[in-house]
Amino acid sequence: MTIREIADVAGVSPAAVSIVLNGRKGVSDETRKRIRKVIDETGYTPNPRTKNSSRTVLCIKYLHGGVLVEENEGFISAIVSAMAERCRKEEYTLVQIEARGDMAEWIRGVDFSPYCGAIVIATELPREMYGSLQAIPVPFVSVDNMMPGMHYSCVGIDNRENVHTALAYIHSCGYRRVGYLRSAYHAENFTARAEAFEKYSREMGFTVRPEDVREIMATMIGAHEDMRKLLEAKPDWELPECFFADNDTVALGAIKALKEAGCRIPEDVAVIGFDNIPYSAISTPTLTTIHVQRDLIGRQAVRQLLYILRDAGFVSAKTSFVGNLVERGSMNAGQRHPA
């Protein structure tokens, strides 16, 4: 008899059976007793895999539209590649699967018994679904989402420090009137960047006018189209000296629209991005940005999961990586108001 067959007899999900077999929290006492009764009556004996001797790690990519996970110029795929490479070195296998819709419902339908642990690409996971991850019956690590308020093991970006680095560079270049191109697609990373932008732009004395804070789509085509419409609707828009963009995709789409409207980059308006996706190095002009350590994030996610698997007393840790500034042609140092 398999876990799925036990689940059918007990009238529960395979995930609930895995929770009981692994002695984890996540089901009611009544459900736990019902599952145990079926296990005892059928004489089911957990195989070695169910006892977490498996060396297979499940990578769950949650898609809430896929804008950030699939369309951000290979950002997430680079993290997953680093995870797979680290797993191979540790003699583990990484298996990828996509999750959509209601996360709690999706988890209930998955048989976790073949896996010793999981890594959740939670970039697009909405806040209202954070709690549903508690039902995952194997140890797991959240990637690219620091899950504020949740006691999960997480690996991601230090958005506050990275935004501070970007704004400090803007300040060092002599720019004082700064705009903000926000992603219209909401995600935890963007929320953190918005909070950091508000805090540090105020502390550094920037002038940020309400009309210079704009939401545009976080795809190359969407950002270009939204920025084009903004410029057409407000031809007398006195642009700020410099725009900070939530990510490179937003920045590059906006730059294309600005150039089509006759703006020179960086002479008329400078732009700085975030992520350092490959296209930022070959765009015209090349994009100044914050390089995010994608390979380190991927490798650390595997390390952190292995810590949990090897040490039952391991306390959940949240590891965030600071990036570094990559200076390119979309900024013009010292040309505005030299400090």
Side-chain angles (χ1 to χ4, degrees):
M1 177 165 280
T2 66
I3 284 180
R4 189 169 292 278
E5 289 171 334
I6 291 174
D8 289 341
V9 174
V12 298
S13 68
V17 177
S18 294
I19 287 173
V20 173
L21 289 171
N22 288 296
R24 293 172 61 86
K25 297 178 180 180
V27 298
S28 67
D29 290 341
E30 181 182 346
T31 299
R32 191 178 299 275
K33 289 177 181 177
R34 187 162 75 250
I35 294 171
R36 278 294 174 194
K37 184 173 184 292
V38 174
I39 291 172
D40 293 340
E41 290 176 349
T42 59
Y44 175 79
T45 301
N47 60 38
R49 276 184 155 187
T50 305
K51 292 177 181 177
N52 273 344
S53 64
S54 165
R55 297 185 72 84
T56 303
V57 174
L58 180 63
C59 173
I60 305 168
K61 293 200 297 186
Y62 181 81
L63 302 177
H64 189 66
V67 171
L68 303 179
V69 171
E70 294 187 326
E71 298 185 30
N72 193 22
E73 293 293 321
F75 182 87
I76 293 298
S77 63
I79 293 176
V80 174
S81 293
M83 286 163 43
E85 178 61 26
R86 186 66 191 183
C87 280
R88 282 193 293 271
K89 288 184 178 180
E90 298 284 348
E91 299 183 346
Y92 283 77
T93 300
L94 187 72
V95 174
Q96 295 185 53
I97 189 170
E98 293 182 355
R100 299 174 185 268
D102 183 81
M103 192 60 170
E105 182 178 341
W106 184 89
I107 291 170
R108 285 194 294 269
V110 175
D111 178 6
F112 284 89
S113 62
Y115 311 108
C116 61
I119 298 176
V120 183
I121 306 297
T123 311
E124 298 184 8
L125 190 69
R127 280 193 176 187
E128 61 268 22
M129 295 187 191
Y130 290 178
S132 63
L133 298 188
Q134 296 179 69
I136 296 176
V138 294
F140 71 90
V141 173
S142 165
V143 170
D144 203 33
N145 187 330
M146 300 307 287
M147 297 283 177
M150 307 303 298
H151 292 171
Y152 299 153
S153 189
C154 305
V155 181
I157 303 166
D158 191 329
N159 288 291
R160 289 172 61 90
E161 287 298 321
N162 288 330
V163 170
H164 185 278
T165 296
L167 294 184
Y169 178 69
I170 291 172
H171 193 278
S172 74
C173 289
Y175 300 107
R176 294 296 179 267
R177 279 189 41 235
V178 179
Y180 181 19
L181 298 177
R182 293 195 59 175
S183 166
Y185 187 96
H186 297 285
E188 195 63 56
N189 283 329
F190 293 149
T191 298
R193 287 170 204 175
E195 292 171 353
F197 178 84
E198 181 180 356
K199 171 180 172 62
Y200 295 126
S201 61
R202 183 174 61 251
E203 290 182 3
M204 294 182 193
F206 289 127
T207 297
V208 181
R209 300 180 306 183
E211 62 267 30
D212 294 336
V213 177
R214 300 285 184 164
E215 281 197 355
I216 58 180
M217 277 301 297
T219 64
M220 202 84 73
I221 294 174
H224 167 257
E225 183 65 12
D226 285 354
M227 193 66 177
R228 181 187 64 79
K229 290 178 180 178
L230 285 172
L231 292 167
E232 288 180 354
K234 194 172 182 180
D236 59 344
W237 185 9
E238 184 185 352
L239 295 171
E241 297 169 352
C242 179
F243 276 117
F244 168 77
D246 258 344
N247 68 7
D248 290 350
T249 303
V250 168
L252 292 167
I255 284 175
K256 187 174 187 295
L258 286 163
K259 288 169 61 181
E260 290 172 351
C263 293
R264 298 170 301 161
I265 313 293
E267 291 83 1
D268 296 326
V269 58
V271 182
I272 185 169
F274 195 116
D275 282 345
N276 194 27
I277 61 175
Y279 191 69
S280 64
I282 60 173
S283 61
T284 304
T286 54
L287 181 65
T288 297
T289 185
I290 299 296
H291 176 70
V292 174
Q293 310 285 347
R294 296 180 285 274
D295 55 339
L296 294 182
I297 290 173
R299 294 200 298 268
Q300 179 62 25
V302 174
R303 290 194 196 98
Q304 218 147 291
L305 179 61
L306 295 184
Y307 291 153
I308 301 171
L309 294 175
R310 295 167 180 170
D311 182 359
F314 181 79
V315 177
S316 295
K318 297 195 176 189
T319 305
S320 58
F321 286 92
V322 176
N324 57 281
L325 179 75
V326 180
E327 298 182 59
R328 297 196 182 108
S330 65
M331 297 283 289
N332 202 349
Q335 295 300 305
R336 290 286 181 170
H337 306 295

